[in-house]
Amino acid sequence: MKRIRVENVSHSFPETEVFRDLSFSVDSREFVSILGQSGCGKSTLLHVISGVIAPDSGRVFLDEEDITSRPGLVSYMPQNDLLLPWKTVLRNIGLPLSLKGRKAREAAAAVEPYLALFGLEGFEHRYPAQLSGGMRQRAALLRTYLHRTDIMLLDEPFGALDAITRERLQEWLTRLLETLRTTVLLVTHDIDEAILLSDRIIVLSPRPARIAEILPVDLPRPRNGEQKLSPEFLKLKKRALHALE
Amino acid sequence: MKKKSGNISKWLIPLAAGLAFVLIWQLAGGAGLVSPYILPPPLRVAASLAEDVPLLVQHAAVTFVTSVAGLAAAVALALLMCLAMDLWPAFKKAVYPYMVISQTIPIIFIYPVIMMGLGFGLAPKIAVVTLVCFFPIGVNLSDGLAQTDPELLLLFRSMKASRWKTILLLKLPGALPAFFSGLKIAAAYSVIGAVISEWLGAQAGLGVYMIRASKSFVLSRVFAGILVVVALSLGLFAVVLAAERVFLSWKFITNHKENKS
Ligand SMILES: Nc1ncnc2c1ncn2[C@@H]1O[C@H](COP(=O)(O)OP(=O)(O)OP(=O)(O)O)[C@@H](O)[C@H]1O
Ligand SMILES: [Mg+2]
C-alpha cells in the first residue's frame, strides 16, 4: 500500500498566498490529477509534497508516516525535463541510482531493461540536446520512475510538447501504467489530459487555491484520444471548466 | 564541400594578412622609412632567432616551467577556494572582495616582498604567475558554481542528493564551461606573468634574455624573444583548447548537430 495524504496544507510566499488548507489523498495505484489554472500553485504544491519546501502549516503523509519536509521518499518529476546536458541519456536516467551510491555500470544495467518500454532504445548513448522533446520527457519520466517505482509526482510532464506529440504520449502513459502500476499524482492545466489519464481529478480554484471540486472519472480503460468526443467525456469537461472558474 | 572551403578561409585569411603585414614591415625597413634601431626588419629578427636557438631554448624552458607550474598552482588554488566559497557562503562574503583586490596589486612593487618571503629561486616567479592566473580562473569558476540552475538544485534535493554528490555531479560539471573560459585567459597571461617576474630579477628565462638584449641595444634579439613568448603563450592556449574539447565533448557534439540542422 502506498498512499499519499495531504492534511490542511497552506503555503504563502512573501506577498503571495498560494494555497490554504488543502486536504486530499491519493490511494495506492490510483491516478489523480490536480487541475488548475497557470499560476494557481500546482508546482508549489508538488514541491511541498515531495518535501523540498516546507509548508507554512499542515502535514503530508505516506501511508501512516509523516513525510512533511522530508525529501527523497517519493519520486518527483519537475516541470521542465531538467536532464543534465553533459550526461548521456543512459547516465541521466541512472542519476537517481548514482545518487544512491550505485556504480555507473550497475546503474546502467538497471536502466537498460526499461529503455524499450520508454521508447528510448538506440538513443541511450546520445546527449539530451540530440533528442526530440517527446523523448526527453520520456527519459525524464524513466529517471523519475527509477528513483522510487511505487509513487510518482509529475508536474505537467507534457506541457511543453506540441498537441500531436502530447496526445501520443498521453496514450502511451496510460498503457505504460497498466504495466507499471504506480501511484501517480499529476499536475496539469490541460482539462483533456486530466480526464484522459485520471481516476480522479482535483480541481483547484484560482489563487489562493482551494479545492473547488473533486471529479471521479469513470470512463472505461484502456483509454485513447477518440474518447474525447464521447458524451461522457464532454460532460466531465463541462463540469471541470465550470469548477475552474 | 562548403565546410572545407570555410576551413581554408578560416586559416588562409589571417595567414595572408599576417604575411602581408610582415612584407610591408620588411619593405618599409628596406626603403629606409623605419629606422632599424626602432623597429628591426623581420629578416634581421629571423636571423637573430636562428643564431640564438640554443640560448632561446634554454631560457624558454625555464619560462615554460615557471608558467605551467604557476598555472597549475592557480587552478588548484581556485578549485579549493571556490569549493570552500560554495560550501560556506560566509567564507565567500569574506574572501571574494579580496580576490578582486588581489588582481589590482601592481606586481612590480610587491615583487620584492614576495622575494623576501620565497627567496631568489623559481618559487617567487611561480607565485607571480599564480597571482596573475588565479583571478580569471577563480572568478569564472566561482560564478559558474553560483549560477547552477535552482530548479536542478531542487531536483537533486528531491532525490536526497548529499552535498558532496550535488557538487560532484551537478555543480562542478555545470561550471566547467565557465572554468575553461577562465583557464583560457589565464593560459594566455601566464607566460607574460613569468616574463615579468624574470624581468624583475632572475638568472634565467626569456625575461632575462630580453632584458640583456635590450641593455646591449640588440633590438632584433628582443624581438626574437618576443616571438618565442608569443609562441609559448599560443602553445599553452592551444593545450587548454584541446583539453576543453576533451572535457566538454558533449558541447561540441551537440553544437555540431545544431549547425547541421
Ligand atoms: N520562490 C517563489 N517566491 C515567490 N513567489 C513564488 C515562488 N514560486 C512561486 N511563486 C508564486 O506562487 C504562485 C504559484 O506558483 P506555481 O509555480 O506553483 O504555479 P503553477 O500553478 O505551477 O503555474 P504554472 O501552471 O504556470 O506552472 C505564483 O504566483 C508564483 O509567482
Ligand atoms: Mg507549475
Side-chain angles (χ1 to χ4, degrees):
Chain A
M1 283 280 282
K2 281 301 163 203
R3 181 169 184 270
I4 301 178
R5 195 151 48 86
V6 172
E7 265 184 27
N8 307 101
V9 165
S10 306
H11 195 70
S12 306
F13 290 112
E15 323 226 323
T16 325
E17 182 178 11
V18 189
F19 44 76
R20 189 189 304 167
D21 240 2
L22 292 183
S23 298
F24 60 88
S25 62
V26 183
D27 283 330
S28 180
R29 291 180 178 172
E30 194 184 17
F31 193 121
V32 172
S33 289
I34 292 183
L35 182 64
Q37 293 174 15
S38 189
C40 80
K42 304 182 297 294
S43 295
T44 309
L45 180 58
L46 287 197
H47 288 159
V48 167
I49 299 174
S50 66
V52 293
I53 66 172
D56 292 345
S57 63
R59 331 232 106 243
V60 181
F61 294 92
L62 180 63
D63 291 338
E64 293 317 309
E65 197 184 352
D66 188 340
I67 60 163
T68 320
S69 315
R70 287 171 60 196
L73 297 171
V74 298
S75 279
Y76 159 66
M77 175 171 166
Q79 191 157 357
N80 303 312
D81 66 60
L82 295 182
L83 297 170
L84 303 172
W86 56 84
K87 277 186 183 292
T88 61
V89 172
L90 193 65
R91 291 286 175 87
N92 261 296
I93 296 171
L95 181 69
L97 305 174
S98 307
L99 289 177
K100 284 175 189 161
R102 301 250 218 118
K103 299 224 164 60
R105 181 129 38 95
E106 292 169 15
V111 171
E112 259 150 17
Y114 291 100
L115 287 171
L117 198 57
F118 281 74
L120 294 164
E121 219 170 17
F123 292 89
E124 60 267 38
H125 299 300
R126 304 247 184 132
Y127 288 98
Q130 297 172 303
L131 297 190
S132 69
M135 279 188 164
R136 279 207 294 274
Q137 291 299 330
R138 287 200 299 264
L141 198 64
L142 178 50
R143 176 181 67 186
T144 310
Y145 177 70
L146 289 179
H147 174 64
R148 171 145 192 175
T149 56
D150 50 2
I151 203 148
M152 293 203 282
L153 313 176
L154 310 178
D155 194 345
E156 301 195 31
F158 311 125
L161 304 174
D162 63 272
I164 297 169
T165 312
R166 189 184 316 153
E167 190 166 315
R168 271 221 316 270
L169 283 193
Q170 287 162 355
E171 290 183 5
W172 166 80
L173 184 62
T174 55
R175 267 181 278 122
L176 180 78
L177 288 172
E178 277 159 31
T179 324
L180 301 181
R181 318 217 55 191
T182 302
T183 306
V184 180
L185 178 61
L186 173 135
V187 143
T188 183
H189 56 237
D190 180 338
I191 300 178
D192 285 1
E193 177 169 289
I195 300 175
L196 192 67
L197 296 173
S198 316
D199 301 315
R200 251 177 339 133
I201 302 174
I202 297 171
V203 187
L204 293 184
S205 70
R207 237 184 28 241
R210 16 166 221 92
I211 295 177
E213 184 153 12
I214 297 184
L215 292 173
V217 182
D218 300 323
L219 301 176
R221 287 182 186 272
R223 299 188 189 151
N224 58 53
E226 279 168 32
Q227 283 167 298
K228 285 185 187 170
L229 299 172
S230 71
E232 295 82 8
F233 195 103
L234 293 173
K235 216 165 91 191
L236 280 167
K237 193 167 174 176
K238 214 179 266 174
R239 276 185 67 186
L241 264 173
H242 190 74
L244 273 173
E245 311 262 286
Chain B
M1 285 309 283
K2 206 171 165 195
K3 171 112 200 181
K4 206 165 186 186
S5 72
N7 256 341
I8 288 175
S9 67
K10 193 173 137 193
W11 288 103
L12 214 56
I13 292 176
L15 201 67
L19 281 176
F21 177 74
V22 170
L23 194 69
I24 292 170
W25 177 1
Q26 177 70 35
L27 292 176
L33 291 175
V34 185
S35 155
Y37 298 105
I38 296 171
L39 205 58
L43 283 178
R44 177 103 44 100
V45 174
S48 292
L49 191 66
E51 261 168 44
D52 277 0
V53 164
L55 200 58
L56 277 168
V57 167
Q58 253 176 39
H59 287 295
V62 175
T63 304
F64 179 75
V65 168
T66 310
S67 309
V68 171
L71 196 57
V75 168
L77 190 64
L79 207 60
L80 280 177
M81 292 278 278
C82 289
L83 285 181
M85 286 196 289
D86 191 74
L87 283 169
W88 299 289
F91 181 69
K92 179 168 184 173
K93 284 209 186 93
V95 160
Y96 196 89
Y98 298 103
M99 220 161 98
V100 180
I101 289 172
S102 80
Q103 191 60 12
T104 64
I105 298 171
I107 287 167
I108 299 177
F109 298 109
I110 64 151
Y111 189 69
V113 182
I114 296 178
M115 258 195 343
M116 273 197 280
L118 296 174
F120 294 91
L122 273 191
K125 282 114 200 156
I126 292 171
V128 168
V129 177
T130 306
L131 196 62
V132 170
C133 294
F134 171 70
F135 180 74
I137 302 173
V139 166
N140 276 287
L141 182 57
S142 145
D143 288 356
L145 289 171
Q147 275 159 17
T148 308
D149 184 348
E151 287 195 70
L152 274 171
L153 285 172
L154 218 59
L155 174 73
F156 269 63
R157 201 130 66 80
S158 84
M159 297 192 279
K160 222 179 166 201
S162 66
R163 221 165 175 190
W164 180 237
K165 286 249 157 125
T166 305
I167 287 178
L168 215 60
L169 294 176
L170 173 60
K171 291 189 168 186
L172 272 182
L176 218 50
F179 167 77
F180 270 106
S181 302
L183 188 58
K184 277 187 271 188
I185 299 171
Y189 281 168
S190 62
V191 180
I192 285 294
V195 169
I196 289 174
S197 69
E198 288 159 2
W199 195 287
L200 294 172
Q203 291 84 43
L206 289 170
V208 174
Y209 170 88
M210 282 157 75
I211 209 165
R212 282 180 192 155
S214 108
K215 274 188 178 150
S216 48
F217 299 104
V218 192
L219 229 56
S220 61
R221 291 177 71 195
V222 176
F223 272 74
I226 291 176
L227 279 182
V228 178
V229 168
V230 169
L232 268 189
S233 304
L234 285 181
L236 274 182
F237 190 77
V239 169
V240 174
L241 276 188
E244 186 184 28
R245 280 202 165 252
V246 172
F247 282 101
L248 302 182
S249 61
W250 59 275
K251 230 177 176 178
F252 291 95
I253 290 170
T254 50
N255 279 348
H256 182 62
K257 173 224 163 198
E258 273 159 31
N259 288 344
K260 266 204 300 204
S261 61

